[in-house]
Amino acid sequence: MTSNVWAVARKEFDDAGRSRLLWALVGLLVLVAAVGYAALWYADEPVTASEALAFLGVPLQVLLPIAALVVGYMAVVGERRSGSIKLLLGLPPTRTDVVLGKLLGRLAVVGVAVGLAFVVALVLGAILFGEAPVFDWLAFGAITLLFGAVFVAVAVGVSAAVSTRGRAMALVVGCYVAIVAFWELLTAGPYYLLYGHGPPVQAAPWYLVLEQFNPVLAYTTLTNLVLENDLVPLQFQYGLESIEAAGMTPAERYPGDAPVYLQEWFASVALLIWLVVPVAIGYYRFTRADL
Amino acid sequence: MAAIETAGLTKRYGDVTAVDALELTVEEGEVFGFLGPNGAGKSTTIDLLLDFVRPTAGSATVLGYDAQADAQAVSRRVGVLPEGFDVYPRLTGRRHVEFAIETTDADDEPDEILERVGLEPDARDRPAGEYSTGMRQRLATGIALVGDPDLLLMDEPASGLDPHGISDLQTLVREEADAGTTVFFSSHILEHVEAVCDRVGVLVDGRLVAVDTIAGLRASVGAGATMELTLDRPADRADDVVAALDDVTDVTTSGRTLECVVTDPRAKALVVTQLEDAGVTVRDLRVEDASLESLYTTLTDEQAADAAAEALEDGSGSDANPEREPEAVG
């Protein structure tokens, strides 16, 4: 790794800072925060600022992955298609510098959007609910950043791995659909075939590990751990899994003391693994590709 | 040490051989023209030198560094003007050059670089997406010059430039060459190569069919200059005088015009003096040097003839499918 990673990352950020995409993204997330807070305040329910913050996790579960995938999926393949990668790699930056720099630059873009949305949430929380829960705010902000970073990493990894825009788009859409829409089919489906029934609350450990590694579930698990709230993961339900299991963390479903890898805090490790593996695969393919 | 040296460099894409066992040496300090029609494999060769694509077989060194293993050392010392590149549409021309300076660890001034390549001051702080093709080409040339490279690799640098831009480019190439930079310059347009290059390599269908000076190439192919003389009388009364000379061939006449091909430059003066000695007055004289174009066509035809001969030898295989429509064969 050289200082050229930072040079590429700064160029990326400069470039993105001039793109309408970033500002549309910032606008969307800020709008979601503002509208959510206004709606809660208007409903006149007895809500604390901390609860309002957790409520923000509902739209973010859906929107942040989409936004992050959109920000990242053209990162590398876009330059391959346009030909600007020849200008870039004709200079000293290596393919390693390019992938890591792209990842950092695009992470910064999503970071700015999430950061601004959270500033709005903090200010509105103070104005509407008379509280500024700074610790909760920082912790939830960090978890949300990690969650967004996972999808940026998936998108950049895909972008580095493929040679056409169409394939990149198909793969990121596929990833999103697999995680949000088909997760239960992909995990509880095989479970059903193996055991003749869907996963009960106390499902087999391998199934709970898979649940632990669902990024959306990991996000709600971590959020609930820190905010002591009941943020429910938004996923398509197919009725394969026991209804009682909905909203339970893998640790709660494990009979007795959960092993380390099923404990709630371990969801952060699951997200970190998601952050690294797709980029590593994309990097591996990109360094071996004919451009 | 050679600036560029390839040994059996080969790149295949499936059944297509883009570069075929290339043996090429470019000496330090020379301006080397890399000539060939579109699709001959020029860009693939340059992509191989820059580690943009990996060889199927063979190897290449650039400034003594292995093009694959030491790709980073290569890119630090080489200025690249790629073909089919694009700029970052939202970044200004100046930001592009600043990025090049930063990554090359150079101490160039962006304005000096942009001045050299003739990018106007009012354009430098505009997004490069608004630039014309010629301006993009100038910007990319500027990026290639950052860090005073030892070798300039220019892939079709004249494409998209107007005549003025091409003249600027040729001046720049000469300046760089005078400063000791090796220049490797690919083109499918012969005049561009002819104007600046010391030596020329001709690539046809991925194979190097000739490497020589432009004069040497002409001599080896035997293409001479064509003389067209206007005489004071019908030319068919004088043609035997000219035809009798050594190094003069293909004498034809038409009215008062006599045309002949001279294979040795010194024969030109002889043609005129012999005619005058015979009492014929030469009213006008035009000499047309064999263009690289015709030379290039000759080389390509030779290559095609060789290929056709090979195809004939292998011909038995295709007879298995005699029903095939002619269009399908191509």
Side-chain angles (χ1 to χ4, degrees):
Chain A
M1 183 140 119
T2 66
S3 63
N4 280 335
V5 172
W6 297 107
V8 173
R10 273 198 304 279
K11 177 201 72 68
E12 275 298 293
F13 191 74
D14 275 4
D15 196 22
R18 287 169 177 77
S19 103
R20 286 191 213 100
L21 177 67
L22 169 70
W23 296 108
L25 174 61
V26 168
L28 177 74
L29 293 185
V30 166
L31 189 73
V32 163
V35 168
Y37 269 65
L40 277 181
W41 178 73
Y42 188 75
D44 212 15
E45 298 278 331
V47 180
T48 67
S50 180
E51 283 165 343
L53 200 55
F55 178 75
L56 203 55
V58 176
L60 282 179
Q61 278 181 58
V62 180
L63 291 178
L64 189 54
I66 295 174
L69 291 173
V70 169
V71 164
Y73 89 100
M74 283 291 276
V76 181
V77 78
E79 288 217 20
R80 270 174 89 172
R81 295 331 299 166
S82 77
S84 54
I85 196 121
K86 290 188 171 179
L87 222 48
L88 181 53
L89 288 175
L91 290 166
T94 61
R95 297 191 192 200
T96 311
D97 296 332
V98 170
V99 173
L100 293 179
K102 290 269 170 188
L103 178 66
L104 289 177
R106 307 273 160 147
L107 283 176
V109 168
V110 170
V112 165
V114 169
L116 284 176
F118 268 72
V119 167
V120 168
L122 186 70
V123 170
L124 284 178
I127 294 170
L128 301 177
F129 307 109
E131 278 182 288
V134 173
F135 173 76
D136 285 355
W137 180 79
L138 279 176
F140 184 43
I143 293 166
T144 303
L145 276 178
L146 180 59
F147 179 60
V150 160
F151 287 90
V152 173
V154 167
V156 171
V158 164
S159 193
V162 301
S163 57
T164 67
R165 179 190 173 135
R167 271 180 222 161
M169 194 183 288
L171 273 172
V172 294
V173 169
C175 284
Y176 184 79
V177 169
I179 290 168
V180 173
F182 291 155
W183 186 271
E184 192 184 334
L185 284 183
L186 294 172
T187 57
Y191 196 100
Y192 188 91
L193 293 177
L194 276 172
Y195 300 100
H197 58 84
V201 172
Q202 296 190 350
W206 67 264
Y207 179 80
L208 297 180
V209 171
L210 283 181
E211 290 293 280
Q212 181 82 315
F213 274 83
N214 179 326
V216 177
L217 205 63
Y219 176 59
T220 58
T221 300
L222 285 174
T223 302
N224 293 336
L225 180 68
V226 172
L227 295 186
E228 292 172 359
N229 207 294
D230 298 312
L231 183 60
V232 175
L234 295 178
Q235 306 245 275
F236 278 55
Q237 304 287 322
Y238 295 89
L240 286 168
E241 196 179 34
S242 160
I243 294 168
E244 292 100 81
M248 288 178 75
T249 65
E252 288 164 352
R253 295 172 64 173
Y254 191 81
D257 285 339
V260 169
Y261 55 88
L262 285 180
Q263 285 173 18
E264 270 122 5
W265 66 267
F266 197 84
S268 59
V269 177
L271 288 181
L272 284 173
I273 289 172
W274 270 103
L275 191 63
V276 172
V277 171
V279 173
I281 294 170
Y283 169 77
Y284 178 86
R285 284 183 55 93
F286 182 60
T287 50
R288 278 153 188 79
D290 283 343
L291 301 177
Chain B
M1 185 188 66
I4 297 173
E5 190 151 28
T6 70
L9 192 65
T10 302
K11 179 65 185 178
R12 284 188 210 97
Y13 293 100
D15 292 340
V16 181
T17 303
V19 176
D20 194 358
L22 190 68
E23 303 280 343
L24 177 70
T25 305
V26 176
E27 300 299 337
E28 267 187 65
E30 72 176 331
V31 180
F32 189 90
F34 199 40
L35 192 65
N38 286 322
K42 304 188 298 294
S43 289
T44 305
T45 304
I46 291 175
D47 286 349
L48 285 163
L49 296 177
L50 294 170
D51 194 36
F52 290 174
V53 303
R54 276 59 188 265
T56 312
S59 63
T61 62
V62 179
L63 300 169
Y65 297 97
D66 185 271
Q68 262 65 48
D70 298 323
Q72 201 181 6
V74 170
S75 66
R76 287 196 178 284
R77 287 159 187 82
V78 174
V80 183
L81 177 60
E83 197 219 1
F85 71 90
D86 197 6
V87 294
Y88 296 100
R90 291 184 289 267
L91 298 179
T92 64
R94 186 189 304 280
R95 182 69 176 87
H96 279 79
V97 176
E98 283 169 357
F99 177 73
I101 292 169
E102 186 186 355
T103 53
T104 313
D105 217 1
D107 52 5
D108 294 294
E109 276 297 317
D111 276 309
E112 277 176 29
I113 294 277
L114 292 165
E115 189 70 45
R116 272 200 76 191
V117 295
L119 202 66
E120 299 302 325
D122 62 337
R124 293 172 195 171
D125 293 308
R126 284 200 345 243
E130 296 173 9
Y131 288 6
S132 67
T133 314
M135 288 161 80
R136 288 169 195 227
Q137 199 75 15
R138 285 171 188 267
L139 174 58
T141 307
I143 290 170
L145 291 176
V146 166
D148 190 21
D150 300 329
L151 168 65
L152 270 178
L153 279 182
M154 307 177 103
D155 198 358
E156 297 279 354
S159 66
L161 293 179
D162 56 21
H164 181 64
I166 289 169
S167 148
D168 283 355
L169 172 73
Q170 289 170 346
T171 307
L172 188 113
V173 168
R174 283 193 201 99
E175 281 170 8
E176 285 297 312
D178 289 346
T181 308
T182 310
V183 184
F184 186 83
F185 183 117
S186 93
S187 182
H188 66 286
I189 299 167
L190 311 158
E191 291 75 26
H192 299 161
V193 171
E194 193 165 20
V196 290
C197 294
D198 303 322
R199 286 200 308 151
V200 180
V202 182
L203 196 72
V204 177
D205 290 336
R207 298 168 80 165
L208 201 60
V209 295
V211 182
D212 209 336
T213 59
I214 285 169
L217 272 181
R218 281 215 191 91
S220 70
V221 175
T226 303
M227 288 182 81
E228 189 187 295
L229 304 110
T230 309
L231 310 177
D232 63 347
R233 67 197 68 182
D236 51 9
R237 290 188 219 158
D239 59 342
D240 49 342
V241 177
V242 178
L245 292 168
D246 289 340
D247 302 321
V248 175
T249 59
D250 298 309
V251 182
T252 57
T253 58
S254 147
R256 297 187 172 191
T257 307
L258 184 145
E259 241 186 63
C260 62
V261 173
V262 287
T263 47
D264 182 336
R266 283 170 297 186
K268 287 175 202 152
L270 220 55
V271 169
V272 178
T273 52
Q274 288 295 314
L275 281 171
E276 295 283 343
D277 287 353
V280 181
T281 304
V282 177
R283 291 247 163 93
D284 197 2
L285 167 63
R286 265 185 15 161
V287 180
E288 205 172 296
D289 271 332
S291 68
L292 202 47
E293 189 82 57
S294 63
L295 167 129
Y296 171 62
T297 311
T298 311
L299 287 170
T300 310
D301 288 348
E302 277 176 14
Q303 186 76 14
D306 290 350
E310 273 176 46
L312 272 179
E313 282 164 29
D314 306 341
S316 52
S318 61
D319 289 343
N321 206 355
E323 313 270 307
R324 209 142 48 126
E325 294 289 319
E327 291 93 318
V329 177

